[in-house]
Amino acid sequence: MDPPGGGIRLFGIRGQSCKAGAAEGTYAIVSEHPSVRTLALDIALAISLRPTDAPLASREDLAELDGDDVLNAVRRALATLGSVRVWDTATLGPAALAAERRPDLIFNLAEGVAGSGREAQAPALFEWLQWPYVGSDPVTLAIAHDKWHTKRILVADGIPTPAARLVQDPRDAALVDLAFPLIVKPVAEGSGKGIHDEDVVSSPGELAACARRKLERFRQPVIVEEFLPGRELTVALIGNTGAWDVLPLVEVNFPAVGGGRHRVFGYEAKWSEPTPDDLLCPAPVGETLRKEIEVLATATCDALRVRDWARVDVRLDADGRPSVLDVNPLPGIMPGDGDISCFTRAAFAAGLRYDDLIRRLVDTAVERYRSRSFLSYRPGPTA
């Protein structure tokens, strides 16, 4: 399949320069890529922080929230562009955020705390207030956080993804008509939450028991999906529809990370003593497979109308054919070499320092807002 507009580009570091004469209150943009601005920005960093006394290894429920390492690293990078305010959406409610002074740009990392559409909550408020921000809009974030809705869109666009069924009641497990082995996942969680090696099941009895446990624990539907036995890779992308830059592919190194008998990159594999050896980047894949995965990832981002950046997780079937497992338009960006953030690892492999990555995401959002092809939903005429 060809991405709309043929806009796939392999990521490469390009020289950047700054156009002179930017008007007051605007950004200076170069033709190929946006550059450092001539004016200092008033930036708000929206982030959901986990409690400092909550170690990830024992608090699966908080796995999606960021720690001080991400807060400090992103804040330092943004400080090179102007002043930075921090909005912790784990403690600040919508009324408090709405009372803030309008920033020039919001760097959105807000995962949210409660609700199946929690990643969309802060951007929905920003849209209401008509404040510009980095990243996807609330529609894309809400859909992508729900694995079932995501699959429906991928299937409609002819993008390969493992066959699945939605189970909302324990009795529905008996109606699943897929071939074993299967994997059972909560429908609206991230960061490996609720995904473990024992969630790969091989019989109707195991499926029923696993589905019941998941329904009771997470209080949300579960998705029962064909389990693909092949390699697992992830694709980090920066850009927008028709013009995606694809960073070097990342592969999960299961001999190093573990993942149990079935090689599942779930909660334990992601968060239990991660090391630099857990991820291989650039992934050791042949040219044909690499191109196939890149086209698959860009088509996925276009189908979901992703903005600015995303990570697309892919797994190979028994014949080596890739399918999309998950789409994350709000990927983790832990700053350390030994951390498990695939997006950061891909950026480092592309030659970007952490500060470069953050500034690149800001520039990408600024370029999008300035682009004539960006269709922003604006209020209609007033009476």
Side-chain angles (χ1 to χ4, degrees):
M1 89 187 52
D2 295 323
I8 183 172
R9 298 199 302 265
L10 296 185
F11 187 85
I13 304 302
R14 299 179 175 88
Q16 294 184 335
S17 61
C18 187
K19 277 188 175 177
E24 183 178 356
T26 64
Y27 306 100
I29 305 294
V30 294
S31 58
E32 266 198 309
H33 282 296
S35 73
V36 177
R37 281 140 302 277
T38 58
L39 300 176
L41 297 177
D42 176 16
I43 302 174
L45 168 58
I47 188 170
S48 303
L49 296 172
R50 66 176 176 270
T52 56
D53 60 348
L56 280 175
S58 61
R59 288 299 305 272
E60 184 175 357
D61 57 315
L62 301 178
E64 292 168 296
L65 305 187
D66 284 311
D68 287 342
D69 55 343
V70 176
L71 168 65
N72 294 329
V74 175
R75 181 165 50 186
R76 278 195 303 269
L78 293 175
T80 65
L81 304 176
S83 61
V84 183
R85 290 177 272 159
V86 176
W87 297 342
D88 180 7
T89 63
T91 56
L92 287 177
L97 291 177
E100 289 279 344
R101 183 180 73 256
R102 183 189 193 277
D104 293 324
L105 187 72
I106 301 165
F107 194 94
N108 179 47
L109 291 178
E111 294 280 353
V113 176
S116 61
R118 55 189 174 271
E119 288 187 354
Q121 291 167 356
L125 177 63
F126 305 152
E127 293 269 312
W128 193 353
L129 298 169
Q130 299 182 58
W131 291 353
Y133 56 95
V134 175
S136 290
D137 69 15
V139 176
T140 294
L141 289 165
I143 292 172
H145 196 62
D146 187 300
K147 294 177 175 63
W148 180 247
H149 289 324
T150 298
K151 279 183 175 291
R152 292 169 67 125
I153 290 176
L154 297 182
V155 169
D157 271 33
I159 297 171
T161 184
R165 300 291 183 267
L166 188 69
V167 172
Q168 303 184 78
D169 184 279
R171 293 167 293 185
D172 296 340
L175 305 176
V176 172
D177 55 351
L178 302 174
F180 291 98
L182 303 170
I183 185 167
V184 184
K185 308 173 182 179
V187 77
E189 298 293 346
S191 301
K193 290 167 61 177
I195 301 176
H196 310 274
D197 183 63
E198 61 267 24
D199 297 324
V200 179
V201 297
S202 301
S203 70
E206 290 180 355
L207 171 58
C210 186
R212 182 179 294 276
R213 287 196 306 271
K214 288 266 186 288
L215 289 165
E216 291 176 352
R217 179 180 179 188
F218 289 95
R219 303 294 180 182
Q220 61 180 266
V222 299
I223 189 168
V224 179
E225 180 182 80
E226 288 183 348
F227 180 73
L228 303 184
R231 302 161 68 182
E232 187 159 332
L233 302 103
T234 192
V235 191
L237 305 98
I238 300 175
N240 280 284
T241 300
W244 292 106
D245 281 349
V246 182
L247 278 63
L249 301 187
V250 178
E251 180 173 4
V252 179
N253 183 17
F254 281 110
V257 79
R261 180 167 62 96
H262 298 289
R263 303 196 313 161
V264 173
F265 194 43
Y267 180 73
E268 289 86 3
K270 289 185 176 183
W271 297 109
S272 180
E273 299 181 1
T275 73
D277 296 331
D278 292 351
L279 303 172
L280 304 175
C281 187
V285 300
E287 185 74 1
T288 300
L289 178 59
R290 179 183 62 79
K291 289 182 178 178
E292 186 177 358
I293 291 173
E294 288 169 350
V295 169
L296 194 65
T298 57
T300 296
C301 287
D302 287 344
L304 291 169
R305 298 209 305 270
V306 168
R307 300 189 334 195
D308 300 340
W309 65 316
R311 196 193 72 237
V312 178
D313 298 333
V314 172
R315 187 134 176 163
L316 307 187
D317 65 14
D319 297 318
R321 295 171 301 196
S323 288
V324 174
L325 288 184
D326 202 11
V327 184
N328 193 336
L330 193 62
I333 45 172
M334 296 171 71
D337 285 322
D339 294 326
I340 53 84
S341 290
C342 297
F343 202 102
T344 309
R345 189 69 63 89
F348 291 166
L352 287 173
R353 298 171 302 172
Y354 194 84
D355 287 6
D356 297 330
L357 169 62
I358 301 305
R359 289 193 293 263
R360 175 67 188 278
L361 296 175
V362 168
D363 289 337
T364 301
V366 170
E367 184 180 38
R368 168 173 52 80
Y369 277 111
R370 287 172 57 93
S371 172
R372 293 183 179 181
S373 63
F374 173 58
L375 301 177
S376 178
Y377 292 93
R378 297 183 176 89
T382 57

